[in-house]
Amino acid sequence: MGGSMVDDDWEFTSPSSSPSTLVLLGRTGNGKSATGNSILGRKVFVSKAKASGVTTTCELHKTVLGDGHVVNVIDTPGLFDTVLTHMDISKEIVRCIDLAKDGIHAVLLVFSIRNRFSEEEKAAFQSLQNVFGEKISDYMIVVFTGGDELEENDQTLTEYLEDNCPKVLKDILHQCKNRVVLFDNKTKDKAKRAEQVNELMSLVGNVVSENGGIPYSNELFSTLKDKRTKMHEEIQSLSGYSKQEISVLKAQMSEAYAEQLKQFTERIEQKLQETTLRLERQLAEEQAARLEAEMRAHKVQAKSSNEIRKLRESLEKARQETEDLRQQAANLKCAIL
């Protein structure tokens, strides 16, 4: 995960002064990094049009809004992408939790109107719920990127979703209480950018309010925060040591903390593996059910076609017999005459 796990400038803040922490999630190409830059008001996350993801590890940057409120934005690699291993995803989830420190105020699920919603995203959504618990849905906001394209087509987001929203996406929107916002990350219009961010932050405010002002947290957050708090206190008590001794002690603390993160990573990896196996079984069952339904439909269709064929043959036979009777009657009439 790189670098020391103990930051000299790591600060503890009171609940009243705590910044809002937002986490961007979505597959590669959906515009996570560009959305993060739009929120921050400057380009800090690398965002390029590439088939493979540019973001390789979780990053945190912060901004101060016009009202003085501090917002932390955490960008993540394409955790919805199948190219990442369970270990890669687990490491980044733990790193994300480590960066969030005091919890997550909102999870931004980033989808692009330019990309078709995939089964990968559905599976990843279910995996996140399995790792973090279903309560994580209470903190989710769906961000759709590609607002410029909708504008060119004179189409609103509501109209787009009415025409292009598969059931699985509708289910996700329902679980997120239909908290959605549209972003145009290409616009140069400062007023439009500000409006987008204001709309998003209004939704974040709703999420915070609905959750009683308490950011999302779980055992991992609590344990890691306790560990960091303890290390912070230990660092503060090192004033009587020499610089060399302090350096050695910090290295030991960092190593111990890294070991703790490793254990958490392994636990999450196991959960992801269990979830993947469960989803694979579920998919296999759904495919088997579909195949059986198709076979039944084919049998019914074949039976129906066979019955129709027999009925047509019977009708044709009856028609032919009628025609023969008519011909016989005509012949008989001619003979009598």
Side-chain angles (χ1 to χ4, degrees), residues 57-71:
T57 188
C58 292
E59 297 179 46
L60 181 149
H61 290 280
K62 64 178 60 179
T63 189
V64 181
L65 301 180
D67 59 1
H69 185 66
V70 177
V71 178

Side-chain angles (χ1 to χ4, degrees), residues 67-230:
D67 59 1
H69 185 66
V70 177
V71 178
N72 291 328
V73 181
I74 299 177
D75 191 17
T76 65
L79 298 185
F80 285 24
D81 299 348
T82 54
V83 293
L84 292 179
T85 66
H86 288 140
M87 177 56 75
D88 292 333
I89 296 173
S90 301
K91 285 180 179 178
E92 292 309 318
I93 288 175
V94 171
R95 177 169 172 77
C96 179
I97 292 173
D98 191 36
L99 288 172
K101 294 186 175 74
D102 294 322
I104 296 171
H105 294 85
V107 175
L108 309 183
L109 290 179
V110 182
F111 300 126
S112 172
I113 64 167
R114 294 184 173 90
N115 299 330
R116 186 174 181 179
F117 186 82
S118 70
E119 288 295 322
E120 294 173 13
E121 287 163 318
K122 174 188 174 183
F125 179 80
Q126 293 174 325
S127 296
L128 287 170
Q129 285 184 317
N130 186 56
V131 171
F132 291 104
E134 291 190 1
K135 187 172 176 58
I136 193 65
S137 300
D138 294 337
Y139 292 83
M140 289 182 174
I141 297 171
V142 177
V143 179
F144 285 95
T145 62
D148 55 306
E149 186 166 314
L150 287 188
E151 187 174 332
E152 289 175 3
N153 295 329
D154 293 323
Q155 192 177 24
T156 66
L157 179 60
T158 301
E159 291 170 340
Y160 169 80
L161 291 176
E162 287 175 353
D163 298 334
N164 301 274
C165 194
K167 184 180 182 303
V168 288
L169 180 54
K170 285 182 180 178
D171 291 341
I172 289 178
L173 294 178
H174 176 71
Q175 291 184 62
C176 298
K177 299 181 181 179
N178 291 310
R179 291 185 290 259
V180 297
V181 62
L182 179 66
F183 261 58
D184 175 2
N185 292 317
K186 293 184 176 182
T187 183
K188 303 297 182 182
D189 187 334
K190 292 183 179 180
K192 185 177 180 181
R193 285 189 174 187
E195 184 181 354
Q196 292 176 165
V197 174
N198 288 339
E199 186 177 353
L200 171 64
M201 294 310 299
S202 177
L203 290 175
V204 172
N206 291 343
V207 169
V208 172
S209 177
E210 290 170 7
N211 288 291
I214 302 172
Y216 173 81
S217 184
N218 63 6
E219 178 195 354
L220 286 177
F221 279 97
S222 300
T223 304
L224 290 178
K225 184 176 180 180
D226 289 345
K227 293 287 184 182
R228 296 202 71 151
T229 301
K230 183 179 179 181

Side-chain angles (χ1 to χ4, degrees), residues 3 101 121 257 268 277:
K101 294 186 175 74
E121 287 163 318
Y257 188 68
I268 290 178
L277 288 174

Side-chain angles (χ1 to χ4, degrees), residues 11 17 36 48 86 128 203 223 233 283 294 319-321:
E11 297 178 356
S17 63
K48 295 179 181 178
H86 288 140
L128 287 170
L203 290 175
T223 304
E233 291 171 349
L283 181 60
E294 288 174 1
R319 188 193 67 77
Q320 187 63 48
E321 289 175 348

Side-chain angles (χ1 to χ4, degrees), residues 40-57:
L40 294 168
R42 62 190 190 279
K43 291 185 178 181
V44 289
F45 297 124
V46 179
S47 175
K48 295 179 181 178
K50 292 182 66 175
S52 58
V54 175
T55 303
T56 57
T57 188

